[in-house]
Amino acid sequence: MTYEVGQPIQNSPFAEPAKHWYIQRGRDPKLIGLRRDSFVFGPKNREEGWDLFDGTLLPYKEDSEGNDYEDAYGLVLVNTVRDRLAEWRKAGYPGVSRTTLELLRWWRRDGREQRLFFAQLEAAEAVIFLREARQDLLQGINVPRETLSARLVDEGNTAFQRYACKMATGAGKTTVMAMLASWSILNKVTSRADGRFSDAVLVVCPNITIRDRLRELDPAQGEASVYRTRDLVPADMMPLLSRGRVLVTNWHVFEPQQMARVGDDGARVVKAGVAVEQMDYIYIGDKNTKARGRTYLTLDEYLKRADAQLFTVLEEKRNENGALTQAKVFYRTYVESDAALLERVLGRDLGKKQNLLVFNDEAHHAYRILQSGDDESDDESVLGT
């Protein structure tokens, strides 16, 4: 018995998938004449836990053809959005603005020299659908916001509304970002009072190489921008698009800069800026570095910082030979204020915008990592972007 399929690729990249292979361990592959539902398999390590996200993730035993799946969970929200999106598209996009309708028709018009992939169109349309579709089509669709700690809520913070477009490598996510940037900017320029849109776009990415590549998202590039090279915006709309701002930067610039300066051994922290208190775990290693959310210091560096009172040691752990391996410490650092950070990163003009459209490029790299301590339940105990 063989489990190989003779022709793995069954669908055109320019049309909605109409077939898929049913593949399960110990069974013959079967070609199904339908688009596959969206589902995921449970984690191999059950100790990690497996939450069902308030009904957005439910056990997926079998598909509409009766094919069963072992340890699978259906993405209920994704499948619902996908079905409603198709209904909305077929009805002619009811609820959208005149500007949005012009862009949607431009992207899907017949005779395009540079046809857009179906994955690109569906990703952009899904976000637009969630923001502009007629309310009856959005009935029952609730994209959960982030969960904030009580401390952050008391400080007046509001959770972000995030939309994630999960796309395969090579599917053209830069083009999708450009489609959504043009949609937001053009709608804001033509309707200033509409709070659903923004003419200011911030793109955060992981490194300098990607940052330089994404500069084509800046409308100021004109005919060299992705809006024209990929035929995403009609030439007569480019002057309007150029009235928007697109800033591309790295995640790392959002790390609050420390206001204190530490000199030689015995120096003390200068109390300038905003005080930030936190617990951390320091691991003794061969070099000073951070990896997978952990802070590693050499023994000499650890002792030097402790002596300089850069942190307070709360607890130390040693191995059977008495060598220090780990320490729980308390920091009180002084960093720039939120207002100063925004002005430094965004500049004075962009930093004062009430609405800001943010793209988190390569978002699967930007996750929070819990520390291996006792305070994992609160926001202050997580590291990362």
Side-chain angles (χ1 to χ4, degrees):
M1 180 181 293
T2 178
Y3 302 118
E4 296 181 359
V5 296
Q7 189 174 350
I9 300 175
Q10 290 288 327
N11 299 288
S12 165
F14 301 107
E16 182 175 7
K19 304 175 184 178
H20 73 273
W21 285 103
Y22 167 77
I23 300 176
Q24 284 286 287
R25 185 185 297 112
R27 306 194 182 183
D28 287 327
K30 184 193 303 184
L31 186 60
I32 308 298
L34 295 169
R35 183 179 184 180
R36 183 168 55 199
D37 290 335
S38 182
F39 64 87
V40 295
F41 291 103
K44 294 181 180 179
N45 182 6
R46 290 296 180 170
E47 293 181 359
E48 296 178 358
W50 191 232
D51 297 328
L52 297 187
F53 303 115
D54 298 327
T56 60
L57 187 67
L58 296 174
Y60 183 77
K61 298 300 183 184
E62 62 180 38
D63 60 20
S64 57
E65 295 287 294
N67 300 299
D68 61 330
Y69 291 81
E70 180 182 349
D71 195 33
Y73 295 82
L75 297 171
V76 178
L77 180 59
V78 174
N79 289 319
T80 300
V81 170
R82 183 187 290 177
D83 292 342
R84 299 277 186 88
L85 176 59
E87 182 182 344
W88 177 66
R89 185 188 304 124
K90 185 176 180 180
Y93 308 108
V96 302
S97 69
R98 179 177 178 179
T99 298
T100 298
L101 186 60
E102 185 174 352
L103 285 173
L104 290 169
R105 289 174 173 173
W106 183 262
W107 297 336
R108 282 190 174 271
R109 76 186 190 280
D110 293 333
R112 282 186 64 100
E113 291 187 9
Q114 298 190 58
R115 296 176 64 188
L116 296 169
F117 294 148
F118 174 79
Q120 294 171 321
L121 290 165
E122 185 177 55
E125 287 180 350
V127 174
I128 296 172
F129 166 77
L130 292 169
R131 302 301 294 174
E132 287 197 73
R134 201 174 59 202
Q135 285 303 306
D136 61 305
L137 292 170
L138 295 172
Q139 189 71 30
I141 293 177
N142 177 38
V143 179
R145 289 179 178 267
E146 287 189 311
T147 301
L148 298 183
S149 68
R151 180 186 66 81
L152 293 176
V153 172
D154 290 342
E155 291 177 355
N157 293 288
T158 303
F160 284 117
Q161 179 76 69
R162 296 176 184 263
Y163 300 127
C165 297
K166 186 176 181 180
M167 303 179 66
T169 300
K173 55 187 174 57
T174 302
T175 295
V176 174
M177 286 191 284
M179 295 165 75
L180 291 173
S182 61
W183 158 73
S184 180
I185 292 172
L186 289 171
N187 270 289
K188 189 64 175 180
V189 169
T190 56
S191 183
R192 286 289 179 188
D194 198 328
R196 295 174 298 175
F197 308 106
S198 174
D199 59 357
V201 179
L202 173 65
V203 184
V204 289
C205 58
N207 56 53
I208 294 175
T209 301
I210 295 178
R211 184 192 67 188
D212 292 341
R213 177 174 58 80
L214 292 179
R215 293 200 187 281
E216 63 180 342
L217 288 168
D218 186 354
Q221 300 288 329
E223 292 298 311
S225 70
V226 67
Y227 309 100
R228 295 300 299 141
T229 60
R230 292 291 295 156
D231 192 21
L232 302 178
V233 174
D236 63 333
M237 298 180 75
M238 284 301 294
L240 291 177
L241 186 67
S242 65
R243 291 162 63 179
R245 290 280 308 279
V246 176
L247 173 64
V248 183
T249 190
N250 298 124
W251 298 326
H252 315 84
V253 302
F254 289 93
E255 182 79 22
Q257 291 187 353
Q258 192 165 330
M259 306 301 290
R261 291 293 180 265
V262 178
D264 299 328
D265 289 353
R268 297 296 180 263
V269 175
V270 178
K271 296 181 178 180
V274 178
V276 176
E277 298 180 348
Q278 68 181 66
M279 302 290 186
D280 196 4
Y281 288 82
I282 292 176
Y283 297 82
I284 305 303
D286 298 330
K287 58 182 179 179
N288 305 316
T289 186
K290 284 192 175 184
R292 299 294 294 173
R294 289 186 171 187
T295 300
Y296 292 88
L297 296 178
T298 64
L299 181 59
D300 287 344
E301 181 64 22
Y302 167 78
L303 294 174
K304 179 180 178 180
R305 296 190 186 188
D307 183 61
Q309 298 183 9
L310 299 185
F311 50 69
T312 301
V313 178
L314 302 178
E315 180 183 343
E316 292 184 338
K317 290 185 178 180
R318 299 178 182 274
N319 61 21
E320 61 276 10
N321 298 320
L324 181 65
T325 59
Q326 179 184 337
K328 182 178 181 180
V329 301
F330 169 78
Y331 284 97
R332 180 181 286 111
T333 55
Y334 293 84
V335 299
E336 62 186 335
S337 66
D338 290 344
L341 185 151
L342 288 177
E343 184 171 328
R344 172 174 59 83
V345 175
L346 303 179
R348 292 187 178 182
D349 293 336
L350 219 58
K352 293 179 180 178
K353 292 286 185 180
Q354 295 298 311
N355 285 348
L356 193 65
L357 174 61
V358 181
F359 291 117
N360 190 351
D361 189 32
E362 302 281 353
H364 57 286
H365 291 302
Y367 49 84
R368 294 188 178 101
I369 302 174
L370 293 176
Q371 294 186 18
S372 58
D374 303 322
D375 305 314
E376 294 183 349
S377 61
D378 198 83
D379 290 2
E380 289 86 354
S381 66
V382 296
L383 297 176
T385 303

